[in-house]
Every structure is written in structure tokens, then in C-alpha cells.
Amino acid sequence: MSFPIVRHRRLRQSTGIRNMVRETHLTVDDFIQPIYVTYGENVKSEIKSMPGVFRFSLDRLQEEVKEIAELGIPAVLLFGIPETKDSVGSSGFAEDGIVQEATKLIKSWYPELLVVADTCLCEFTDHGHCGMVHTVEVDGHICGDVLNDESLELLVKTAVSQAKAGADIIAPSNMMDGFVQAIRAGLDENGFSHIPIMSYSVKYASAFYGPFREAADSTPQFGDRKSYQMDPANAREALREAETDVLEGADMLMVKPSLSYLDVMRTIKDNFDLPLVAYNVSGEYAMVKAAAIQGWIDEKKVAMEILLSMKRAGADMIITYYGKDASRWLAEK
């Protein structure tokens, strides 16, 4: 046999060696746990398409937040389901809105736990779109378009109200053109120049959001979101979206979804020197859960491999419904 013989397996011989040469590491500090808050009393209702994920009313919220904090997860991402909706999503920027009230409670219980506020209107509008819409009736069907610049004014009001309530990070997910610049200016003008923006910079019009639509009751009542969310076929466009957000003042960039867009995540990581956030979305979670319930896969191993792949692709933070489980699994080592 010719010399030298390359023996790659030498560095795989034992657990100790594998641990020492491991390139990518997951820790509890990587995770952001989403929470759904809703109106009513004594509500803890499981979301059918997301086993193990619940909607909580404010009087039941502390039990969930306590568990998250005790596991050492550093941050939560809040989504709100309001009691009433209207065409402009006014409950999204109300001082006593569901997200605002949840934020105040969480910060009073656990001041060190970071509250990330999702800044969008889809959960609060009666039409389910992420901004104001202009609608017309065509052949008996409602058609319309989302108004970009008019929506920015409402998104700024939402972000400012969330910051006033105590949110540590504003996370705008609406994909309107110019949303980072508008929100940055609004926060600065209202005394919140210290609040960072975690921008949903690269958000695709994805089928993986299906369970979230059930969880947040945010299915569009007409049309779809393809006119403002990105085409899944496009990767170079992601660079333009991210660059715009960087120039407008974003502090963190996000790719959503993540599992089917690991290539995009790596491209963003290699081209921009800002923290990168992966969103391990509802459909990705639901697929693993469904297969695990059937006994077809090892849930722990598959979920952790998925999270590790996102970290390996460049993620500094991962928003994931597996945050609590993954934190427990890491503690078992």
C-alpha cells in the first residue's frame, strides 16, 4: 500500500476524541422559545397541529415562562391572539394589547429573561395580511393588495408600543419594503435607540408556516402573501433583502424558514457581519412530531440533528419550538 495512508477515522475513535474535535456546538444560550398568548381566563389549549405547544391566557402564562426560565433559555418570542380584530390591526399596537400585557408580566416575573416581540399585523387584522389592504370585488370574489407605505406607519406604532411595554428586542416580520428604516426611526424618536431590531430579513412565502396559521389564527382571508414574502426559488434575492436591512439599521438578520434554506443561511452568514437568526418554524416542528408519534423516527436525535444543522450553517440564535426539549436533552449529557 502506498504511503501516506490517510486515516480520517483516527479522530473518530472515542467519545472523548470526537468531543474534542467537534466543530459545531449547541448550547441552551442558542435558543429562543416562542410563546402564544391569548385572551380569556384559565386557557392552556394545545395547538392540534403542533403537539406539545399551547396557547396561554395571561393568568396561565407564568407556568410556561417559569419553566423556560428555569431551563436557562435566555429569550422568548411573543405572538398574540387578540379578542377582536379589525382592518388595521389596532389591537396590535394598543397599550393594553395582548402582547403588551404579556410583556409587562414577563418582565415583572423574570427581568433578565429577554422578551422578543414579533412586530407584524397578521394576527390582529380581520383579513389576515401583514399590513393595510386595498380590496375590490371581482366576479363575486374579494381581491386586494397590501399597501406598503401606509402599513409602515402602523408597524412603527406597533414597535413603539411593544418597546414601551418593556420588550427587549423588536422583531419585525412583515416584509414591507423599508420596514427596518421606518421602525428604527420610530424607536429612536421615542427614546428607544437602545432597543435592537431582529429583522426577518429573508422570509420566504413558505408552505412550512401552515401550523402557525392555526396557532395564531392568521390565515389570509383572500389571496396569499407571495407579493411581499420571497419566492422559495430565489437565493440571490436574499442578499439584496439582507443588504437593504443592514443599510437601514438592522442589528440581527433572520432567515425563515431555516431547514430548507440552509444554503441561504450560509450565504447570508458569509456576506454580512451581523448575528444570524434561524427560525425552526412550525411546519418543521410538526413534521418531526408527527413522525415521532408514529414511531417512525427517534424524535430526540432527529430534532437535535436539525438544530445542529442550523447552527452549522451559521446561525448564532435559533428560534425553535423544541427549545425546552432541546435544553433538557443537552442537560442530560
Side-chain angles (χ1 to χ4, degrees):
M1 187 175 291
S2 61
F3 183 84
I5 300 170
V6 179
R7 302 279 187 185
H8 296 294
R9 292 178 56 190
R10 289 180 186 136
L11 300 183
R12 302 172 190 157
Q13 289 299 307
S14 67
T15 299
I17 292 177
R18 290 193 297 272
N19 287 343
M20 284 195 298
V21 301
R22 182 162 293 139
E23 300 172 21
T24 306
H25 298 269
L26 274 174
T27 75
V28 66
D29 290 328
D30 296 325
F31 302 140
I32 300 171
Q33 180 74 43
I35 301 178
Y36 294 94
V37 288
T38 190
Y39 56 90
E41 296 180 355
N42 196 32
V43 176
K44 182 182 178 181
S45 61
E46 189 171 35
I47 298 159
K48 183 178 180 181
S49 58
M50 299 174 69
V53 179
F54 298 81
R55 297 187 193 92
F56 295 90
S57 55
L58 294 176
D59 60 334
R60 295 288 302 271
L61 179 60
Q62 189 169 12
E63 61 190 82
E64 174 75 352
V65 178
K66 181 176 185 290
E67 183 180 6
I68 291 168
E70 289 179 348
L71 285 167
I73 296 171
V76 296
L77 174 62
L78 287 184
F79 296 100
I81 300 95
E83 187 169 13
T84 60
K85 303 187 179 194
D86 58 30
S87 62
V88 297
S90 59
S91 56
F93 47 82
E95 288 188 8
D96 60 350
I98 188 72
V99 170
Q100 288 78 359
E101 292 299 302
T103 299
K104 295 171 190 175
L105 287 172
I106 292 171
K107 297 306 292 185
S108 70
W109 299 327
Y110 299 97
E112 298 305 312
L113 184 66
L114 296 174
V115 173
V116 184
D118 180 79
T119 305
C120 197
L121 298 174
C122 62
E123 300 127 77
F124 306 99
T125 55
D126 52 15
H127 47 73
H129 281 285
C130 301
M132 290 180 63
V133 299
H134 170 70
T135 59
V136 294
E137 186 172 322
V138 179
D139 297 329
H141 298 284
I142 298 298
C143 304
D145 188 29
V146 177
L147 303 174
N148 194 93
D149 294 2
E150 293 85 346
S151 298
L152 294 179
E153 298 176 18
L154 301 180
L155 292 164
V156 170
K157 291 176 67 174
T158 303
V160 171
S161 72
Q162 292 168 338
K164 286 181 177 178
D168 298 285
I169 298 171
I170 298 299
S173 60
N174 53 87
M175 288 297 283
M176 296 296 108
D177 290 333
F179 71 93
V180 172
Q181 182 178 27
I183 289 172
R184 182 74 272 159
L187 290 172
D188 292 356
E189 290 166 6
N190 285 275
F192 297 106
S193 59
H194 61 290
I195 298 293
I197 293 175
M198 177 189 289
S199 175
Y200 286 63
S201 299
V202 182
K203 183 177 180 181
Y204 286 91
S206 172
F208 284 100
Y209 304 149
F212 175 86
R213 303 278 164 79
E214 177 199 345
D217 189 23
S218 62
T219 301
Q221 297 304 298
F222 63 88
D224 52 41
R225 297 190 173 122
K226 293 180 180 178
S227 68
Y228 47 102
Q229 295 179 356
M230 283 182 54
D231 184 341
N234 292 354
R236 293 194 304 272
E237 184 183 3
L239 287 169
R240 300 197 297 273
E241 286 280 2
E243 182 179 25
T244 298
D245 288 1
V246 171
L247 294 173
E248 291 183 4
D251 300 283
M252 292 170 265
L253 305 176
M254 186 191 302
V255 175
K256 179 183 180 183
S258 297
L259 183 57
S260 290
Y261 300 88
L262 297 177
D263 60 321
V264 176
M265 288 180 56
R266 173 46 58 188
T267 299
I268 299 299
K269 185 69 172 181
D270 289 344
N271 282 274
F272 301 100
D273 189 21
L274 286 179
L276 179 63
V277 185
Y279 199 141
N280 178 207
V281 299
S282 60
E284 297 165 354
Y285 172 87
M287 289 192 302
V288 175
K289 273 290 182 184
I293 289 169
Q294 293 295 323
W296 295 336
I297 61 171
D298 183 316
E299 180 181 14
K300 173 183 173 180
K301 290 180 179 178
V302 170
M304 293 300 279
E305 187 173 336
I306 287 171
L307 295 173
L308 190 67
S309 75
M310 294 173 183
K311 190 75 182 292
R312 190 184 65 244
D316 299 289
M317 292 157 273
I318 304 173
I319 301 168
T320 177
Y321 299 96
Y322 270 112
K324 293 190 296 181
D325 287 336
S327 298
R328 293 188 190 98
W329 293 330
L330 287 169
E332 293 171 359
K333 291 184 177 181

